[in-house]
């Protein structure tokens, strides 16, 4: 039975450790979601998110996990007869391609081996060979610990294919890695809050461009719960379409204020420092799974070159220190392991964890 007074400290790549002050935000008195106070909370939260992501376009609050927005981007912005170019470099990008197919859209996959990045020229070549409504990208592939060069890709898209919509899964990137939404010319970008926002799971933030919203007006059969047109109408009144998870919005509000007070550039920098620290350790003790240049600042995937029993090591660290890190994802289990360093995790936390792993593998 879980000891609620002493929950395990999480270094898995989502959900991540939630600090007590953030947790408290979810325990505040609730509000009526059509009342003035709610509208104020909503408006203020959206206003801060716009600053964090450098956008003047649409910010939506979704009571769903991020996977809902995978589906929303496709169902709202890709017509029934249009084709999506899905870039695939790991479990999450693969899954998004499956979701697009399950929405009945035509999907062409651009695949690279797990651990390799998607490069602008690969996309350029694919787009040159067909007619596409949109391209899907994963900013940070959480299964492999890889950050795609999405800024370079965006420059290419703006220059060569400005009419193709760009959808970006930023689930394990948002807040921790830069998102200059308007400058990048992105159309739908989203994250769930249990990753770098360091909030308990069950909620997502979505950025939607004006042109994506316009496009959605022409697409039939969008359904109800994830309908961008209906979301936009509600957002005009600083509301959501359906009753939202108000406790989560209180936590998003709290965290957003904190990130703005710290300066979002400093939040990125802190993640970079944590990433460098874990990469250095991994390089000494094991090997990085990805080329260092593409290794993520929010989690590190480490190749198990010492052939330690990863599951046993995780169990031992948990038993001794009540702390959990991640095994490799799916087919990378035991061959790799993953350490998250996002959200409110600190360098001191990491030093402690890596010390315990060192003891275990000595
Ligand atoms: C965690 C994760 C998801 C899934 O998020 P949910 O909140 O479980 O829907 C999707 N994409 C990436 C890159 C992730 O890290």
């Amino acid at each position: 039975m879980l000891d609620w007074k002493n929950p395990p400290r999480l270094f898995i790549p989502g959900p991540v450790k939630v600090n007590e002050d953030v947790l408290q935000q979810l325990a505040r008195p609730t509000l009526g979601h059509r009342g003035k106070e709610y509208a104020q909370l909503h408006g203020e939260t959206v206003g801060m998110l716009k600053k964090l992501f450098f956008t003047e376009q649409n910010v939506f609050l979704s009571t769903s996990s991020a996977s809902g927005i995978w589906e929303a981007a496709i169902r709202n912005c890709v017509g029934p007869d249009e084709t999506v170019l899905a870039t695939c470099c790991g479990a999450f990008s693969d899954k998004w391609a499956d979701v697009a197919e399950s929405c009945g859209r035509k999907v062409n996959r651009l695949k690279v081996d797990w651990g390799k990045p998607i490069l602008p020229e690969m996309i350029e070549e694919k787009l040159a060979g067909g007619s596409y409504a949109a391209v899907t990208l994963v900013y940070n592939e959480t299964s492999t610990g890889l950050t795609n060069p999405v800024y370079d890709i965006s420059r290419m898209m703006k220059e060569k294919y400005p009419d193709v919509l760009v959808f970006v899964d930023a689930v394990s990137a948002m807040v921790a890695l830069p998102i200059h939404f308007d400058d990048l010319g992105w159309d739908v970008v989203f994250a769930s809050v249990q990753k770098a926002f360091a909030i308990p799971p069950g909620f997502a933030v979505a950025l939607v461009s004006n042109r994506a919203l316009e496009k959605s007006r022409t697409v039939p059969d969008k359904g109800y719960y994830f309908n961008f047109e209906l979301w936009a109408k509600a957002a005009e009144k600083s509301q959501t379409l359906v009753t939202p998870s108000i406790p989560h919005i209180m936590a998003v509000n709290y965290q957003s204020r904190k990130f703005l007070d710290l300066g979002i550039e400093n939040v990125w920098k802190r993640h970079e420092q944590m990433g460098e620290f874990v990469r250095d350790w991994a390089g000494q003790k094991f090997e990085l799974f990805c080329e260092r240049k593409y290794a993520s600042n929010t989690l590190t995937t480490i190749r198990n070159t010492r052939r330690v029993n990863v599951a046993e090591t995780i169990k031992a660290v948990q038993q001794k220190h009540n702390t959990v890190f991640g095994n490799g994802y799916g087919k990378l289990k035991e061959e790799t392991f993953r350490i998250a360093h996002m959200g409110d995790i600190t360098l001191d936390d990491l030093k402690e964890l890596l010390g315990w792993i060192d003891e275990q593998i000595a």
Side-chain angles (χ1 to χ4, degrees):
M1 195 41 200
L2 185 67
D3 176 1
W4 295 105
K5 293 227 169 63
N6 190 23
R9 196 140 58 114
L10 299 180
F11 288 86
I12 56 174
V16 300
K17 184 184 87 151
V18 180
N19 283 347
E20 190 56 34
D21 57 335
V22 178
L23 216 45
Q24 287 305 322
Q25 302 306 311
L26 289 110
R28 290 171 59 183
T30 201
L31 301 168
H33 65 294
R34 301 301 181 213
K36 231 195 284 179
E37 292 86 356
Y38 174 78
Q40 193 182 342
L41 170 72
H42 184 114
E44 188 181 287
T45 307
V46 164
M48 290 191 284
L49 292 167
K50 285 184 175 178
K51 285 189 191 148
L52 290 172
F53 309 121
F54 303 92
T55 181
E56 315 241 300
Q57 303 185 78
N58 310 280
V59 174
F60 296 131
L61 305 176
S62 177
T63 301
S64 69
S65 85
S67 304
I69 319 292
W70 274 346
E71 194 163 320
I74 304 297
R75 291 193 66 186
N76 280 277
C77 303
V78 179
D81 300 318
E82 291 181 325
T83 307
V84 179
L85 176 62
T87 64
C88 300
C89 60
F92 290 101
S93 40
D94 282 353
K95 181 59 101 188
W96 196 2
D98 295 344
V99 167
E101 250 166 21
S102 78
C103 293
R105 287 354 183 235
K106 286 191 241 42
V107 175
N108 197 335
R109 294 177 199 237
L110 161 56
K111 278 192 189 190
V112 296
D113 288 341
W114 283 33
K116 295 277 187 290
I118 301 287
L119 300 174
E121 53 271 25
M122 298 174 184
I123 297 178
E124 199 179 337
E125 194 186 317
K126 276 278 187 190
L127 291 177
S131 169
Y132 294 92
V135 52
T136 65
L137 301 172
V138 169
Y139 195 149
N140 193 75
E141 208 359 299
T142 316
S143 61
T144 61
L146 177 129
T147 301
N148 279 307
V150 290
Y151 274 60
D152 296 340
I153 292 170
S154 306
R155 263 188 290 277
M156 182 282 291
M157 291 298 296
K158 274 175 91 166
E159 196 186 311
K160 304 263 171 66
Y161 293 96
D163 297 330
V164 177
L165 299 179
V166 180
F167 304 154
V168 184
D169 169 334
V171 179
S172 56
M174 193 178 261
V175 183
L177 306 179
I179 295 180
H180 296 86
F181 184 72
D182 291 358
D183 280 354
L184 289 160
W186 288 351
D187 294 288
V188 182
V189 178
F190 50 90
S192 26
V193 298
Q194 76 274 20
K195 308 272 167 101
F197 275 97
I199 292 171
F203 201 76
V205 170
L207 317 178
V208 175
S209 72
N210 294 332
R211 71 170 183 168
L213 196 54
E214 282 309 310
K215 174 75 186 279
S216 78
R217 297 185 207 285
T218 70
V219 177
D221 300 330
K222 298 191 286 289
Y224 176 74
Y225 196 84
F226 290 107
N227 186 312
F228 286 169
E229 266 187 279
L230 301 178
W231 282 10
K233 219 178 257 169
E236 279 173 22
K237 293 181 285 184
S238 280
Q239 292 185 356
T240 49
L241 175 62
V242 295
T243 318
S245 174
I246 297 170
H248 274 104
I249 300 176
M250 290 181 178
V252 172
N253 182 290
Y254 181 84
Q255 289 292 67
S256 299
R257 187 180 311 283
K258 183 170 81 187
F259 299 140
L260 282 174
D261 286 349
L262 288 166
I264 190 66
E265 290 83 0
N266 294 324
V267 177
W268 305 335
K269 180 142 273 168
R270 198 169 60 76
H271 283 85
E272 191 184 334
Q273 284 162 352
M274 292 195 290
E276 284 292 304
F277 182 75
V278 178
R279 285 191 285 276
D280 286 346
W281 174 84
Q284 285 159 18
K285 304 289 162 84
F286 294 91
E287 256 175 40
L288 287 175
F289 180 66
C290 306
E291 197 186 325
R292 185 154 180 149
K293 178 176 168 194
Y294 297 109
S296 165
N297 283 337
T298 61
L299 78 149
T300 298
T301 300
I302 297 147
R303 197 185 291 281
N304 181 10
T305 46
R306 301 164 87 107
R307 298 181 173 277
V308 301
N309 185 322
V310 174
E312 287 298 323
T313 309
I314 292 172
K315 208 158 123 195
V317 171
Q318 175 159 23
Q319 274 166 0
K320 286 186 200 158
H321 307 288
N322 198 24
T323 293
V324 190
F325 62 97
N327 207 322
Y329 191 99
K331 64 185 184 188
L332 296 178
K333 208 169 244 174
E334 291 297 325
E335 193 191 316
T336 67
F337 60 98
R338 296 176 302 159
I339 294 172
H341 31 83
M342 61 179 115
D344 288 327
I345 289 171
T346 65
L347 203 52
D348 284 342
D349 291 328
L350 288 167
K351 284 178 185 164
E352 209 163 34
L353 171 67
L354 297 185
W356 293 333
I357 298 177
D358 280 340
E359 267 170 32
Q360 214 53 46
I361 63 174

